[in-house]
Amino acid sequence: MDKCVLAYSGGLDTSVAIRWIAEKYDVEVIAVAIDVGEEKNYEAIRAKALLVGAAESVVVDAREEFCRDYITRALAANLMYEGRYPCFTALARPLLAQHQVRVAKERGARFLAHGCTGKGNDQVRFEVTYAALAPEMEIIAPAREWGMTREQEIDYAAEHGIPVPVGKASPYSTDTNLWGRSIEAGVIEDPSQEAPADAWEWTAEVADAPAEPVYVKVDFEQGVPVALDGEKLSGAALVGRLNALAGAHGVGRIDMLENRLVGIKSRELYEAPAATVLLEAHRDLEAMCLDRETAHFKPYLELRYAELVYYGLWFTPLREAIDAFLQQTQQRVTGQVTMKLYKGRAMAIARQSEYSLYDYSLATYDKGDLFDPADSPGFIRLWGLPARIVGEVGRKKG
Ligand code: ARG
């Protein structure tokens, strides 16, 4: 019998998909779930896939891999799509698809499947990754094919003995990993209205945030955060701890309209406390350690990088080439940044680095100044020469 490897979340859609694919395509379905820090019960998810009819169920703990291969690169790229979205969903999809493809190859599967609808970005991210890593495999996208409403899905689940979530369904659709949490659907789809308070789970309302700030020192080694307040931590532990700490101070709420790859504008709510703190700290340390020309050039590539990640083009030569450049820039981004978390803000308030290019004796207006102002007139004469020539010609011509 042919095999199909499905990206499994444990939710209703992908649970229904297990049965639906097995019946419609007459295949064995292998479920693959990956833990990228969603804090779900993965043992229960593994069991559920088998219960609803998967032939095999695989769970991969990919939290440290997500930090090492994706979040680290996101930081090097100061990754923000449209200036505000830290791309956590966009980063996790290629990793999930990558593991799915690995399992599919190990089992000799013919099909790869995901539970995405036909309106979002995620379908693109999955399928482009499949195309890049396993062009020979065929793709099944049940949620795009079956055309069931949520009620019909629940009926289907009931008929097939698939457990249906009990209690009042959440009015929102959320997606979570270490790098952030998204909230969509329901009343959020009206961008003229303030987001309801119950949409937020990771971040305190600023009014309710502690009256006193908290300070946290972040150590970076070659652009990678490695310690908080001097304590060495794994990537996942460091990010997890910052999510809790900064979230309690209301840091990392994002409410934005976003341009999807498929052409739709959507209103998105995001909570990304750790990402907000680390991106700000990282940018601050770069300001100290990068020479001016690199610092001014790098953002052009960062802009492109954000598009590539958002557009699902992770496994492409251009992304790898830009990464090589970004990695080169991180060699001296080593040092410590003190962040102040207070009433919704994460501000770098002090920084130090063995690679600091800040030179007190050049910068100071006090005594001990080594900058020779006598160098300036000649420099300005040449710097302004083109402007002077244009000015002279303009004067002669009236
Ligand atoms: N708009 C974000 C993105 O496209 C988050 C999407 C999260 N929603 C989802 N259904 N996966 O990356």
Side-chain angles (χ1 to χ4, degrees):
M1 205 186 233
D2 283 329
K3 295 184 173 119
C4 172
V5 176
L6 168 72
Y8 185 61
S9 72
L12 180 66
D13 292 344
T14 51
S15 296
V16 167
I18 289 178
R19 279 304 273 278
W20 190 89
I21 293 169
E23 280 175 14
K24 167 109 194 262
Y25 287 86
D26 194 25
V27 291
E28 266 183 11
V29 177
I30 300 167
V32 175
I34 69 163
D35 180 357
V36 277
E38 205 168 337
E39 297 191 334
K40 292 197 285 200
N41 179 347
Y42 280 90
E43 191 37 46
I45 289 173
R46 205 186 65 77
K48 184 172 175 185
L50 296 173
L51 176 79
V52 304
E56 189 190 343
S57 182
V58 180
V59 170
V60 184
D61 180 353
R63 285 173 296 178
E64 297 300 342
E65 186 183 6
F66 186 48
C67 289
R68 188 186 65 233
D69 295 346
Y70 290 81
I71 290 179
T72 293
R73 289 181 168 128
L75 278 171
N78 296 312
L79 178 62
M80 287 280 201
Y81 179 66
E82 298 188 337
R84 288 195 279 178
Y85 167 44
C87 280
F88 47 87
T89 296
L91 287 165
R93 292 302 176 263
L95 175 59
L96 175 46
Q98 189 182 1
H99 278 288
Q100 217 189 325
V101 167
R102 176 180 55 75
V103 171
K105 288 190 174 170
E106 286 167 8
R107 308 294 189 277
R110 176 174 165 199
F111 298 100
L112 293 162
H114 61 74
C116 306
T117 68
K119 275 180 86 164
N121 298 315
D122 286 338
Q123 52 175 343
V124 181
R125 297 168 183 151
F126 274 109
E127 292 179 34
V128 171
T129 303
Y130 300 159
L133 303 183
E136 70 283 6
M137 290 189 197
E138 295 167 55
I139 297 167
I140 304 175
R144 228 167 34 196
E145 285 180 40
W146 64 36
M148 281 191 269
T149 63
R150 187 159 176 97
E151 280 65 46
Q152 289 168 323
E153 268 186 67
I154 289 172
D155 290 344
Y156 182 98
E159 281 163 29
H160 292 78
I162 297 167
V164 175
V166 284
K168 212 165 134 288
S170 161
Y172 314 118
S173 152
T174 62
D175 186 52
T176 303
N177 64 46
L178 277 170
W179 207 229
R181 173 175 185 265
S182 66
I183 313 100
E184 299 173 304
V187 291
I188 294 164
E189 288 173 356
D190 180 354
S192 73
Q193 298 300 312
E194 181 175 0
D198 69 353
W200 309 108
E201 281 185 11
W202 285 14
T203 55
E205 187 65 36
V206 167
D208 304 331
E212 296 299 323
V214 68
Y215 296 84
V216 59
K217 291 188 166 74
V218 186
D219 280 316
F220 287 88
E221 272 171 24
Q222 303 201 320
V224 181
V226 293
L228 294 181
D229 291 327
E231 184 185 349
K232 291 255 180 214
L233 293 167
S234 77
L238 188 149
V239 172
R241 196 178 291 188
L242 269 183
N243 270 330
L245 187 68
H249 284 267
V251 170
R253 278 194 187 186
I254 300 153
D255 176 340
M256 67 183 285
L257 286 179
E258 171 179 303
N259 288 293
R260 283 197 191 156
L261 178 54
V262 292
I264 303 165
K265 278 191 197 291
S266 62
R267 197 271 188 97
E268 302 281 341
L269 303 182
Y270 299 125
E271 298 183 280
T276 302
V277 174
L278 290 173
L279 286 163
E280 190 58 30
H282 179 263
R283 264 194 228 99
D284 191 79
L285 190 58
E286 282 195 330
M288 176 169 257
C289 301
L290 295 186
D291 66 284
R292 183 182 68 195
E293 299 313 308
T294 303
H296 288 187
F297 178 72
K298 192 170 169 273
Y300 293 107
L301 292 188
E302 292 173 0
L303 200 63
R304 196 73 183 88
Y305 196 86
E307 282 178 346
L308 292 174
V309 171
Y310 189 87
Y311 292 174
L313 301 177
W314 183 266
F315 288 101
T316 60
L318 181 56
R319 198 274 304 164
E320 285 170 17
I322 296 179
D323 255 335
F325 170 86
L326 294 175
Q327 278 319 304
Q328 173 74 20
T329 65
Q330 298 304 292
Q331 283 184 354
R332 292 167 175 226
V333 184
T334 294
Q336 186 179 74
V337 182
T338 304
M339 298 298 294
K340 177 178 182 175
L341 313 179
Y342 185 51
K343 292 287 180 192
R345 277 202 69 188
M347 215 168 86
I349 52 121
R351 67 291 288 164
Q352 55 190 53
S353 167
E354 59 191 295
Y355 296 107
S356 174
L357 300 177
Y358 176 86
D359 187 335
Y360 177 83
S361 60
L362 291 175
T364 185
Y365 284 101
D366 286 342
K367 60 180 180 312
D369 181 1
L370 294 180
F371 186 87
D372 186 356
D375 289 340
S376 290
F379 165 72
I380 298 167
R381 226 170 359 256
L382 295 188
W383 179 247
L385 188 55
R388 173 175 300 278
I389 294 167
V390 174
E392 289 292 351
V393 171
R395 191 172 59 86
K396 279 186 208 132
K397 293 288 179 195

PDB file of all heavy atoms in Angstrom, residues 34-62:
ATOM      1  N   ILE A  34       5.722  18.128  15.012  1.00  0.00           N
ATOM      2  CA  ILE A  34       6.989  18.588  15.595  1.00  0.00           C
ATOM      3  C   ILE A  34       6.724  19.606  16.688  1.00  0.00           C
ATOM      4  O   ILE A  34       5.819  20.431  16.609  1.00  0.00           O
ATOM      5  CB  ILE A  34       8.020  19.138  14.588  1.00  0.00           C
ATOM      6  CG1 ILE A  34       7.577  20.452  13.977  1.00  0.00           C
ATOM      7  CG2 ILE A  34       8.381  18.125  13.536  1.00  0.00           C
ATOM      8  CD1 ILE A  34       8.745  21.169  13.330  1.00  0.00           C
ATOM      9  N   ASP A  35       7.543  19.477  17.714  1.00  0.00           N
ATOM     10  CA  ASP A  35       7.455  20.387  18.852  1.00  0.00           C
ATOM     11  C   ASP A  35       8.438  21.529  18.616  1.00  0.00           C
ATOM     12  O   ASP A  35       9.642  21.338  18.645  1.00  0.00           O
ATOM     13  CB  ASP A  35       7.820  19.602  20.126  1.00  0.00           C
ATOM     14  CG  ASP A  35       7.763  20.468  21.373  1.00  0.00           C
ATOM     15  OD1 ASP A  35       7.496  21.684  21.244  1.00  0.00           O
ATOM     16  OD2 ASP A  35       7.989  19.929  22.470  1.00  0.00           O
ATOM     17  N   VAL A  36       7.886  22.707  18.341  1.00  0.00           N
ATOM     18  CA  VAL A  36       8.740  23.899  18.202  1.00  0.00           C
ATOM     19  C   VAL A  36       8.409  24.883  19.328  1.00  0.00           C
ATOM     20  O   VAL A  36       8.502  26.089  19.174  1.00  0.00           O
ATOM     21  CB  VAL A  36       8.606  24.586  16.825  1.00  0.00           C
ATOM     22  CG1 VAL A  36       9.479  23.901  15.792  1.00  0.00           C
ATOM     23  CG2 VAL A  36       7.161  24.646  16.362  1.00  0.00           C
ATOM     24  N   GLY A  37       7.955  24.293  20.445  1.00  0.00           N
ATOM     25  CA  GLY A  37       7.742  25.126  21.618  1.00  0.00           C
ATOM     26  C   GLY A  37       6.310  25.564  21.816  1.00  0.00           C
ATOM     27  O   GLY A  37       6.047  26.581  22.448  1.00  0.00           O
ATOM     28  N   GLU A  38       5.382  24.762  21.318  1.00  0.00           N
ATOM     29  CA  GLU A  38       3.976  25.129  21.465  1.00  0.00           C
ATOM     30  C   GLU A  38       3.431  24.762  22.843  1.00  0.00           C
ATOM     31  O   GLU A  38       2.317  25.099  23.195  1.00  0.00           O
ATOM     32  CB  GLU A  38       3.155  24.456  20.360  1.00  0.00           C
ATOM     33  CG  GLU A  38       1.881  25.202  20.055  1.00  0.00           C
ATOM     34  CD  GLU A  38       1.220  24.725  18.782  1.00  0.00           C
ATOM     35  OE1 GLU A  38       1.925  24.158  17.925  1.00  0.00           O
ATOM     36  OE2 GLU A  38       0.010  24.917  18.655  1.00  0.00           O
ATOM     37  N   GLU A  39       4.232  24.001  23.600  1.00  0.00           N
ATOM     38  CA  GLU A  39       3.822  23.559  24.934  1.00  0.00           C
ATOM     39  C   GLU A  39       2.507  22.790  24.923  1.00  0.00           C
ATOM     40  O   GLU A  39       1.636  22.973  25.758  1.00  0.00           O
ATOM     41  CB  GLU A  39       3.776  24.745  25.907  1.00  0.00           C
ATOM     42  CG  GLU A  39       5.159  25.346  26.062  1.00  0.00           C
ATOM     43  CD  GLU A  39       5.291  26.362  27.188  1.00  0.00           C
ATOM     44  OE1 GLU A  39       4.269  26.975  27.531  1.00  0.00           O
ATOM     45  OE2 GLU A  39       6.410  26.519  27.696  1.00  0.00           O
ATOM     46  N   LYS A  40       2.353  21.950  23.908  1.00  0.00           N
ATOM     47  CA  LYS A  40       1.212  21.038  23.882  1.00  0.00           C
ATOM     48  C   LYS A  40       1.676  19.701  24.453  1.00  0.00           C
ATOM     49  O   LYS A  40       2.870  19.463  24.616  1.00  0.00           O
ATOM     50  CB  LYS A  40       0.723  20.835  22.438  1.00  0.00           C
ATOM     51  CG  LYS A  40       0.091  22.090  21.844  1.00  0.00           C
ATOM     52  CD  LYS A  40      -0.747  21.792  20.616  1.00  0.00           C
ATOM     53  CE  LYS A  40       0.054  21.503  19.391  1.00  0.00           C
ATOM     54  NZ  LYS A  40      -0.702  21.662  18.122  1.00  0.00           N
ATOM     55  N   ASN A  41       0.726  18.825  24.712  1.00  0.00           N
ATOM     56  CA  ASN A  41       1.057  17.480  25.197  1.00  0.00           C
ATOM     57  C   ASN A  41       1.311  16.588  23.974  1.00  0.00           C
ATOM     58  O   ASN A  41       0.386  16.069  23.362  1.00  0.00           O
ATOM     59  CB  ASN A  41      -0.102  16.947  26.040  1.00  0.00           C
ATOM     60  CG  ASN A  41       0.186  15.552  26.550  1.00  0.00           C
ATOM     61  OD1 ASN A  41       1.119  14.872  26.103  1.00  0.00           O
ATOM     62  ND2 ASN A  41      -0.614  15.110  27.506  1.00  0.00           N
ATOM     63  N   TYR A  42       2.588  16.458  23.638  1.00  0.00           N
ATOM     64  CA  TYR A  42       2.924  15.756  22.405  1.00  0.00           C
ATOM     65  C   TYR A  42       2.715  14.248  22.495  1.00  0.00           C
ATOM     66  O   TYR A  42       2.492  13.587  21.485  1.00  0.00           O
ATOM     67  CB  TYR A  42       4.337  16.128  21.945  1.00  0.00           C
ATOM     68  CG  TYR A  42       4.313  17.465  21.246  1.00  0.00           C
ATOM     69  CD1 TYR A  42       4.489  18.644  21.961  1.00  0.00           C
ATOM     70  CD2 TYR A  42       4.011  17.563  19.895  1.00  0.00           C
ATOM     71  CE1 TYR A  42       4.400  19.880  21.342  1.00  0.00           C
ATOM     72  CE2 TYR A  42       3.912  18.785  19.267  1.00  0.00           C
ATOM     73  CZ  TYR A  42       4.111  19.945  19.996  1.00  0.00           C
ATOM     74  OH  TYR A  42       3.999  21.156  19.382  1.00  0.00           O
ATOM     75  N   GLU A  43       2.763  13.704  23.711  1.00  0.00           N
ATOM     76  CA  GLU A  43       2.482  12.280  23.847  1.00  0.00           C
ATOM     77  C   GLU A  43       1.002  12.026  23.510  1.00  0.00           C
ATOM     78  O   GLU A  43       0.666  11.069  22.806  1.00  0.00           O
ATOM     79  CB  GLU A  43       2.831  11.802  25.265  1.00  0.00           C
ATOM     80  CG  GLU A  43       2.825  10.290  25.438  1.00  0.00           C
ATOM     81  CD  GLU A  43       3.366   9.507  24.225  1.00  0.00           C
ATOM     82  OE1 GLU A  43       4.425   9.867  23.679  1.00  0.00           O
ATOM     83  OE2 GLU A  43       2.702   8.526  23.824  1.00  0.00           O
ATOM     84  N   ALA A  44       0.149  12.946  23.979  1.00  0.00           N
ATOM     85  CA  ALA A  44      -1.283  12.810  23.663  1.00  0.00           C
ATOM     86  C   ALA A  44      -1.524  12.982  22.162  1.00  0.00           C
ATOM     87  O   ALA A  44      -2.363  12.291  21.569  1.00  0.00           O
ATOM     88  CB  ALA A  44      -2.090  13.849  24.457  1.00  0.00           C
ATOM     89  N   ILE A  45      -0.778  13.873  21.562  1.00  0.00           N
ATOM     90  CA  ILE A  45      -0.941  14.101  20.119  1.00  0.00           C
ATOM     91  C   ILE A  45      -0.507  12.859  19.332  1.00  0.00           C
ATOM     92  O   ILE A  45      -1.170  12.433  18.385  1.00  0.00           O
ATOM     93  CB  ILE A  45      -0.128  15.342  19.688  1.00  0.00           C
ATOM     94  CG1 ILE A  45      -0.798  16.603  20.248  1.00  0.00           C
ATOM     95  CG2 ILE A  45       0.004  15.415  18.175  1.00  0.00           C
ATOM     96  CD1 ILE A  45      -0.021  17.872  20.031  1.00  0.00           C
ATOM     97  N   ARG A  46       0.606  12.269  19.791  1.00  0.00           N
ATOM     98  CA  ARG A  46       1.104  11.057  19.122  1.00  0.00           C
ATOM     99  C   ARG A  46       0.049   9.936  19.203  1.00  0.00           C
ATOM    100  O   ARG A  46      -0.262   9.284  18.216  1.00  0.00           O
ATOM    101  CB  ARG A  46       2.398  10.597  19.796  1.00  0.00           C
ATOM    102  CG  ARG A  46       3.308   9.770  18.904  1.00  0.00           C
ATOM    103  CD  ARG A  46       4.499   9.232  19.693  1.00  0.00           C
ATOM    104  NE  ARG A  46       4.078   8.286  20.713  1.00  0.00           N
ATOM    105  CZ  ARG A  46       3.730   7.027  20.467  1.00  0.00           C
ATOM    106  NH1 ARG A  46       3.774   6.560  19.236  1.00  0.00           N
ATOM    107  NH2 ARG A  46       3.328   6.231  21.432  1.00  0.00           N
ATOM    108  N   ALA A  47      -0.532   9.802  20.379  1.00  0.00           N
ATOM    109  CA  ALA A  47      -1.532   8.748  20.579  1.00  0.00           C
ATOM    110  C   ALA A  47      -2.798   9.035  19.772  1.00  0.00           C
ATOM    111  O   ALA A  47      -3.411   8.127  19.207  1.00  0.00           O
ATOM    112  CB  ALA A  47      -1.860   8.635  22.068  1.00  0.00           C
ATOM    113  N   LYS A  48      -3.170  10.306  19.712  1.00  0.00           N
ATOM    114  CA  LYS A  48      -4.411  10.654  19.019  1.00  0.00           C
ATOM    115  C   LYS A  48      -4.348  10.301  17.539  1.00  0.00           C
ATOM    116  O   LYS A  48      -5.325   9.802  16.955  1.00  0.00           O
ATOM    117  CB  LYS A  48      -4.713  12.145  19.197  1.00  0.00           C
ATOM    118  CG  LYS A  48      -6.042  12.568  18.589  1.00  0.00           C
ATOM    119  CD  LYS A  48      -6.397  13.994  18.952  1.00  0.00           C
ATOM    120  CE  LYS A  48      -7.662  14.432  18.237  1.00  0.00           C
ATOM    121  NZ  LYS A  48      -7.973  15.852  18.477  1.00  0.00           N
ATOM    122  N   ALA A  49      -3.195  10.543  16.932  1.00  0.00           N
ATOM    123  CA  ALA A  49      -3.051  10.225  15.507  1.00  0.00           C
ATOM    124  C   ALA A  49      -3.324   8.741  15.265  1.00  0.00           C
ATOM    125  O   ALA A  49      -4.007   8.364  14.308  1.00  0.00           O
ATOM    126  CB  ALA A  49      -1.652  10.595  15.024  1.00  0.00           C
ATOM    127  N   LEU A  50      -2.797   7.903  16.160  1.00  0.00           N
ATOM    128  CA  LEU A  50      -3.017   6.456  16.015  1.00  0.00           C
ATOM    129  C   LEU A  50      -4.484   6.123  16.238  1.00  0.00           C
ATOM    130  O   LEU A  50      -5.082   5.340  15.502  1.00  0.00           O
ATOM    131  CB  LEU A  50      -2.130   5.693  17.007  1.00  0.00           C
ATOM    132  CG  LEU A  50      -0.628   5.835  16.778  1.00  0.00           C
ATOM    133  CD1 LEU A  50       0.155   5.183  17.915  1.00  0.00           C
ATOM    134  CD2 LEU A  50      -0.215   5.219  15.425  1.00  0.00           C
ATOM    135  N   LEU A  51      -5.064   6.767  17.242  1.00  0.00           N
ATOM    136  CA  LEU A  51      -6.470   6.534  17.578  1.00  0.00           C
ATOM    137  C   LEU A  51      -7.390   6.837  16.396  1.00  0.00           C
ATOM    138  O   LEU A  51      -8.335   6.100  16.127  1.00  0.00           O
ATOM    139  CB  LEU A  51      -6.868   7.404  18.783  1.00  0.00           C
ATOM    140  CG  LEU A  51      -8.327   7.347  19.201  1.00  0.00           C
ATOM    141  CD1 LEU A  51      -8.588   6.084  20.009  1.00  0.00           C
ATOM    142  CD2 LEU A  51      -8.722   8.588  19.997  1.00  0.00           C
ATOM    143  N   VAL A  52      -7.110   7.920  15.684  1.00  0.00           N
ATOM    144  CA  VAL A  52      -8.015   8.284  14.587  1.00  0.00           C
ATOM    145  C   VAL A  52      -7.664   7.581  13.289  1.00  0.00           C
ATOM    146  O   VAL A  52      -8.319   7.790  12.276  1.00  0.00           O
ATOM    147  CB  VAL A  52      -8.092   9.816  14.370  1.00  0.00           C
ATOM    148  CG1 VAL A  52      -8.509  10.516  15.656  1.00  0.00           C
ATOM    149  CG2 VAL A  52      -6.779  10.385  13.874  1.00  0.00           C
ATOM    150  N   GLY A  53      -6.614   6.749  13.306  1.00  0.00           N
ATOM    151  CA  GLY A  53      -6.422   5.905  12.133  1.00  0.00           C
ATOM    152  C   GLY A  53      -5.082   5.985  11.427  1.00  0.00           C
ATOM    153  O   GLY A  53      -4.917   5.405  10.360  1.00  0.00           O
ATOM    154  N   ALA A  54      -4.114   6.700  12.005  1.00  0.00           N
ATOM    155  CA  ALA A  54      -2.794   6.725  11.374  1.00  0.00           C
ATOM    156  C   ALA A  54      -2.128   5.363  11.543  1.00  0.00           C
ATOM    157  O   ALA A  54      -2.300   4.697  12.562  1.00  0.00           O
ATOM    158  CB  ALA A  54      -1.925   7.810  12.001  1.00  0.00           C
ATOM    159  N   ALA A  55      -1.364   4.960  10.537  1.00  0.00           N
ATOM    160  CA  ALA A  55      -0.644   3.696  10.613  1.00  0.00           C
ATOM    161  C   ALA A  55       0.581   3.839  11.505  1.00  0.00           C
ATOM    162  O   ALA A  55       1.044   2.879  12.104  1.00  0.00           O
ATOM    163  CB  ALA A  55      -0.215   3.262   9.208  1.00  0.00           C
ATOM    164  N   GLU A  56       1.090   5.070  11.578  1.00  0.00           N
ATOM    165  CA  GLU A  56       2.268   5.345  12.400  1.00  0.00           C
ATOM    166  C   GLU A  56       2.213   6.802  12.808  1.00  0.00           C
ATOM    167  O   GLU A  56       1.656   7.638  12.087  1.00  0.00           O
ATOM    168  CB  GLU A  56       3.548   5.072  11.568  1.00  0.00           C
ATOM    169  CG  GLU A  56       4.808   5.115  12.396  1.00  0.00           C
ATOM    170  CD  GLU A  56       6.088   5.089  11.530  1.00  0.00           C
ATOM    171  OE1 GLU A  56       6.012   4.728  10.337  1.00  0.00           O
ATOM    172  OE2 GLU A  56       7.138   5.450  12.073  1.00  0.00           O
ATOM    173  N   SER A  57       2.767   7.093  13.957  1.00  0.00           N
ATOM    174  CA  SER A  57       2.706   8.468  14.451  1.00  0.00           C
ATOM    175  C   SER A  57       4.069   8.852  15.022  1.00  0.00           C
ATOM    176  O   SER A  57       4.591   8.189  15.904  1.00  0.00           O
ATOM    177  CB  SER A  57       1.627   8.560  15.534  1.00  0.00           C
ATOM    178  OG  SER A  57       1.519   9.880  16.004  1.00  0.00           O
ATOM    179  N   VAL A  58       4.620   9.924  14.488  1.00  0.00           N
ATOM    180  CA  VAL A  58       5.974  10.338  14.857  1.00  0.00           C
ATOM    181  C   VAL A  58       5.923  11.733  15.469  1.00  0.00           C
ATOM    182  O   VAL A  58       5.258  12.628  14.926  1.00  0.00           O
ATOM    183  CB  VAL A  58       6.891  10.370  13.601  1.00  0.00           C
ATOM    184  CG1 VAL A  58       8.303  10.796  13.966  1.00  0.00           C
ATOM    185  CG2 VAL A  58       6.885   9.028  12.896  1.00  0.00           C
ATOM    186  N   VAL A  59       6.617  11.913  16.588  1.00  0.00           N
ATOM    187  CA  VAL A  59       6.744  13.246  17.178  1.00  0.00           C
ATOM    188  C   VAL A  59       8.223  13.592  17.252  1.00  0.00           C
ATOM    189  O   VAL A  59       9.031  12.777  17.687  1.00  0.00           O
ATOM    190  CB  VAL A  59       6.113  13.303  18.587  1.00  0.00           C
ATOM    191  CG1 VAL A  59       6.477  14.606  19.281  1.00  0.00           C
ATOM    192  CG2 VAL A  59       4.601  13.154  18.499  1.00  0.00           C
ATOM    193  N   VAL A  60       8.562  14.782  16.796  1.00  0.00           N
ATOM    194  CA  VAL A  60       9.962  15.210  16.804  1.00  0.00           C
ATOM    195  C   VAL A  60      10.092  16.419  17.725  1.00  0.00           C
ATOM    196  O   VAL A  60       9.362  17.391  17.557  1.00  0.00           O
ATOM    197  CB  VAL A  60      10.419  15.621  15.377  1.00  0.00           C
ATOM    198  CG1 VAL A  60      11.896  15.982  15.374  1.00  0.00           C
ATOM    199  CG2 VAL A  60      10.108  14.528  14.367  1.00  0.00           C
ATOM    200  N   ASP A  61      10.991  16.336  18.687  1.00  0.00           N
ATOM    201  CA  ASP A  61      11.262  17.516  19.507  1.00  0.00           C
ATOM    202  C   ASP A  61      12.287  18.361  18.759  1.00  0.00           C
ATOM    203  O   ASP A  61      13.470  18.049  18.742  1.00  0.00           O
ATOM    204  CB  ASP A  61      11.811  17.101  20.872  1.00  0.00           C
ATOM    205  CG  ASP A  61      12.110  18.308  21.757  1.00  0.00           C
ATOM    206  OD1 ASP A  61      12.023  19.457  21.264  1.00  0.00           O
ATOM    207  OD2 ASP A  61      12.439  18.108  22.931  1.00  0.00           O
ATOM    208  N   ALA A  62      11.816  19.429  18.142  1.00  0.00           N
ATOM    209  CA  ALA A  62      12.698  20.237  17.288  1.00  0.00           C
ATOM    210  C   ALA A  62      12.971  21.610  17.883  1.00  0.00           C
ATOM    211  O   ALA A  62      13.368  22.530  17.167  1.00  0.00           O
ATOM    212  CB  ALA A  62      12.074  20.365  15.900  1.00  0.00           C
TER     213      ALA A  62
END
